[in-house]
Amino acid sequence: GISNSALSAGTAADNGNDETLIAEALKNYHSAFIGKWHIGGFGAQGYQPADQGFSTLAYADAGGSAYFNWRQSWDNTSKAAFPKMPQAEWEFGNSGKQTGEEYLTNDLTAQALDYIEERSKKKEQPFFLYFSNFAVHSPYQGVDSIVTHFENKTTKGWNGHKDPVYASMIKSMDQSVGALLNKLKELDIEENTLVIFMSDNGGIDSKITPKGDGTDNRPFLGGKATLNEGGIRVPLIFRWKNKIKGDQWIDIPVDCTDIFPTVLAASGNTSRINYKDIDGQNLMPLLNDVKNRNNTYTKREHYWHYPFNVIYNSPYDGYSLTPHSAVRDGDFKLIFDWYGRLYLYDIENDPYERNNLAMSMPKLKEQMFDKLMNWLKVNVDKRYWPSINPDYDPTKEVRVEPFIDLTR
């Protein structure tokens, strides 16, 4: 019921550490959160949206949620599941105001629309809304009429996209985004509102899930939980009428850490940023200089670390995923599988990761591996490093390649 992976919030358990979240940095804004919180608190007191600068519309501190009949579980304050929690009540979530909607995506959208309309009337204070949809996370549940629409289609997805329930969930989220944009137009505030749309990871790829459910990320390799492009290449869309030119495409890779300084810069809160202390860079200049001719975006390296054994299967051998880390440096990306394998790709020319260059470019492989390990040593606490299983028996290994401890 209390987590050592939550973002530090200045509680006694945080030993003096307190991360500045985006809502706390937007000092003159009214900031609200709605949807999926899930940043390590698991209902622990002191680690919820209200503790991190947000006014809470509705939220659940979990990775997934039912899409029907969710309110009772969100409003549950009983510590029965975690009786030793050092707090009076479990702070799992709050379903917010009643909207009459029976489907979660529609309900959260209705609450978000009400918030936007309410705040648009308060001209003296700008607002920031962080809308974190649960869609399209499992369990896969859709609105019956929309599911039927996809079931009755004469043509199915061209790329393995044939699940009508999954499709209905995406359509509901698509309608949600449309409703938000329409509300900004209706209230005549779309020219004064920056909208950012981003996914937290690639889709769960049905080819690597034990049950074969989910979506299909072809032609990209892998999906959620992998560090292949199918897992980490995600949509990132900016919309700001008459401030950002439309119909532009930016090929320069950026990452989610860039959102923080970008929002602060767009809001005028640049005095809150010490660029030496953060990983992100402001993307606002890049949005109007899409080729980066002025070299305003200078980050060449991007890092990922996923230190878990998970239920999804490796896109390489079909066995359960082992911990893995990765670095992208310019056009090249190195994936370190902690089982003892290295994959090197030229992403610019081989975005579908079909040609592993680890053997043919050993010098670059070693350079990038050293860079990755040095980054891990500096930035990742040892408790988040995979550890060797003392009971491992190599004679029972099902994989063809033997395990190699490359960290040694």
Side-chain angles (χ1 to χ4, degrees):
I2 190 167
S3 173
N4 67 357
S5 64
L7 287 177
S8 56
T11 70
D14 291 321
N15 299 316
N17 297 314
D18 188 358
E19 293 290 345
T20 300
L21 267 67
I22 194 166
E24 296 172 309
L26 289 169
K27 284 295 184 184
N28 57 326
Y29 272 64
H30 187 279
S31 298
F33 182 87
I34 188 166
K36 173 179 173 177
W37 186 238
H38 197 223
I39 55 171
F42 301 103
Q45 187 178 40
Y47 297 95
Q48 304 313 312
D51 304 305
Q52 302 283 18
F54 289 103
S55 171
T56 306
L57 303 182
Y59 83 100
D61 190 4
S65 170
Y67 291 84
F68 297 97
N69 302 315
W70 69 91
R71 293 182 180 86
Q72 184 175 353
S73 64
W74 283 34
D75 296 333
N76 178 26
T77 59
S78 169
K79 294 197 304 178
F82 304 103
K84 295 184 180 180
M85 292 183 80
Q87 58 197 71
E89 294 182 328
W90 192 25
E91 296 191 7
F92 174 76
N94 187 325
S95 65
K97 66 168 68 173
Q98 292 287 332
T99 65
E101 297 287 352
E102 297 180 351
Y103 188 63
L104 177 60
T105 305
N106 297 343
D107 173 81
L108 296 179
T109 303
Q111 295 196 56
L113 293 174
D114 286 346
Y115 172 79
I116 293 173
E117 182 147 7
E118 174 191 334
R119 297 309 307 182
S120 70
K121 298 172 184 175
K122 303 181 184 301
K123 307 292 186 183
E124 72 282 359
Q125 185 182 31
F127 68 88
F128 170 66
L129 174 62
Y130 191 160
F131 189 172
S132 181
N133 248 311
F134 276 90
V136 291
H137 199 283
S138 60
Y140 301 135
Q141 299 170 340
V143 176
D144 286 344
S145 61
I146 304 179
V147 175
T148 301
H149 162 77
F150 285 105
E151 287 176 336
N152 292 337
K153 286 192 68 175
T154 56
T155 57
K156 304 300 180 185
W158 61 274
N159 195 26
H161 302 149
K162 57 186 183 295
D163 185 337
V165 176
Y166 198 94
S168 74
M169 296 174 72
I170 293 177
K171 187 173 181 67
S172 291
M173 185 179 67
D174 191 33
Q175 292 173 335
S176 169
V177 174
L180 294 171
L181 297 181
N182 287 339
K183 177 60 72 172
L184 298 179
K185 185 175 183 178
E186 173 194 321
L187 297 171
D188 196 27
I189 58 173
E190 60 179 344
E191 292 192 24
N192 197 32
T193 307
L194 169 63
V195 180
I196 304 174
F197 178 93
M198 186 179 185
S199 175
D200 57 348
N201 49 249
I204 295 179
D205 197 288
S206 58
K207 300 187 297 298
I208 63 173
T209 56
K211 294 181 180 179
D213 55 0
T215 185
D216 198 311
N217 296 317
R218 285 178 294 180
F220 295 110
L221 185 64
K224 176 180 178 177
T226 77
L227 297 182
N228 298 100
E229 293 299 283
I232 61 175
R233 182 184 287 242
V234 299
L236 176 57
I237 303 168
F238 293 81
R239 181 186 187 272
W240 195 351
K241 186 176 180 181
N242 294 334
K243 294 289 180 67
I244 300 172
K245 184 180 177 181
D247 299 320
Q248 298 183 111
W249 186 275
I250 299 176
D251 287 320
I252 295 157
V254 300
D255 63 55
C256 60
T257 65
D258 299 318
I259 300 295
F260 180 86
T262 301
V263 169
L264 294 190
S267 71
N269 279 262
T270 51
S271 62
R272 304 288 302 166
I273 310 173
N274 185 342
Y275 285 99
K276 294 181 180 179
D277 294 337
I278 63 175
D279 296 319
Q281 292 189 15
N282 174 21
L283 299 177
M284 290 305 298
L286 185 61
L287 299 178
N288 292 303
D289 175 26
V290 296
K291 300 297 184 183
N292 200 29
R293 291 188 174 95
N294 296 322
N295 198 35
T296 56
Y297 187 81
T298 59
K299 191 194 301 184
R300 281 184 52 87
E301 299 169 10
H302 307 269
Y303 293 91
W304 297 263
H305 181 53
Y306 200 81
F308 311 113
N309 294 283
V310 293
I311 61 172
Y312 307 122
N313 297 325
S314 166
Y316 297 109
D317 60 22
Y319 294 110
S320 295
L321 272 174
T322 48
H324 41 292
S325 309
V327 55
R328 175 161 175 169
D329 187 354
D331 291 341
F332 288 89
K333 184 178 76 177
L334 180 83
I335 302 174
F336 169 38
D337 176 353
W338 287 66
Y339 181 74
R341 295 171 288 200
L342 295 170
Y343 304 93
L344 177 63
Y345 299 107
D346 179 353
I347 298 298
E348 179 66 21
N349 296 302
D350 180 25
Y352 309 142
E353 298 171 301
R354 293 168 176 162
N355 185 22
N356 183 8
L357 303 173
M359 296 295 290
S360 60
M361 303 183 72
K363 187 173 182 180
L364 179 61
K365 176 192 70 175
E366 293 298 334
Q367 289 174 344
M368 293 186 68
F369 184 55
D370 286 345
K371 186 172 291 189
L372 175 59
M373 295 308 296
N374 287 332
W375 180 85
L376 289 168
K377 290 173 185 175
V378 171
N379 294 281
V380 179
D381 194 286
K382 277 292 184 181
R383 61 182 166 167
Y384 303 126
W385 285 49
S387 57
I388 301 295
N389 177 7
D391 298 322
Y392 175 68
D393 183 353
T395 65
K396 296 180 180 179
E397 178 57 64
V398 296
R399 296 170 178 85
V400 175
E401 306 99 327
F403 165 68
I404 304 171
D405 184 6
L406 291 181
T407 63
R408 301 178 71 178

